Amino acid sequence: KDILITHAGLTRGYMEHLGVSTAKEAVSLMNGFVGEVNLGGIERPGWLVTGSHNQAADTFWALCGIELNGSWWGEEGSGFNQIHGHACLYEWDGGEFWPDVSPEIRRNTLVNMADRFTITQHPNGDWFRSVDWVLKNERKRQKWPVLILPGFDVYLGE
């Protein structure tokens, strides 16, 4: 199964907006955005910009709770897993999930306190891993573990 690695994750709504159905198609299309000056046609901000949740938020802005994970929860699988940064489901310094994380997602999320990442297993077979320790947290990280993906080839687009 492919793994898509993006900044904030690919929401179901943004994938539909892009008109793609695979991780490779998404990578190829999004790589075409590199160097764009006017992002208005491709940008779909969510709560962090507008104050309203958007399950079609783009890979720059999606919150990982209600916008990213929530957009895929209970839906047909994407056929690929995701690794993202930008935000995490867990507020490390507070020791609890962020308020926008549903009880279902909380129950299906492994929280790794030592390395500050979460993995959420979706009922559709997809998993999402957050590797962001959240800059808002005051306590500084002492280490940043290397992300190793044994047995995978890296596709950077054409």
Side-chain angles (χ1 to χ4, degrees):
K1 195 170 189 179
D2 288 336
I3 300 173
L4 178 67
I5 302 173
T6 62
H7 172 65
L10 180 61
T11 62
R12 182 176 196 85
Y14 195 61
M15 185 171 171
E16 291 169 356
H17 170 74
L18 295 175
V20 298
S21 59
T22 68
K24 285 185 179 181
E25 289 173 352
V27 168
S28 292
L29 186 61
M30 289 187 292
N31 279 349
F33 302 156
V34 174
E36 287 285 326
V37 175
N38 179 7
L39 296 178
I42 58 171
E43 192 172 31
R44 297 283 184 269
W47 182 83
L48 287 172
V49 175
T50 66
S52 297
H53 290 292
N54 179 0
Q55 290 197 340
D58 62 43
T59 57
F60 306 122
W61 293 109
L63 284 180
C64 60
I66 198 167
E67 293 176 344
L68 175 60
N69 280 279
S71 73
W72 290 101
W73 200 262
E75 299 291 332
E76 181 180 330
S78 64
F80 55 89
N81 298 312
Q82 294 196 47
I83 297 174
H84 65 89
H86 179 67
C88 190
L89 294 171
Y90 200 77
E91 201 274 304
W92 302 109
D93 285 347
E96 61 189 356
F97 286 94
W98 291 103
D100 75 324
V101 180
S102 73
E104 296 84 11
I105 293 173
R106 291 172 192 229
R107 281 192 298 273
N108 288 279
T109 299
L110 167 73
V111 176
N112 184 311
M113 296 295 289
D115 293 328
R116 288 192 177 194
F117 70 82
T118 63
I119 298 177
T120 303
Q121 182 67 53
H122 286 245
N124 60 25
D126 297 343
W127 55 258
F128 291 23
R129 179 174 172 161
S130 171
V131 296
D132 195 316
W133 59 280
V134 184
L135 294 174
K136 183 178 178 180
N137 289 187
E138 297 297 327
R139 189 175 29 191
K140 302 295 181 205
R141 289 280 310 239
Q142 298 303 313
K143 64 178 183 171
W144 188 272
V146 175
L147 178 63
I148 299 173
L149 302 171
F152 285 90
D153 295 326
V154 176
Y155 174 76
L156 300 175
E158 297 176 19

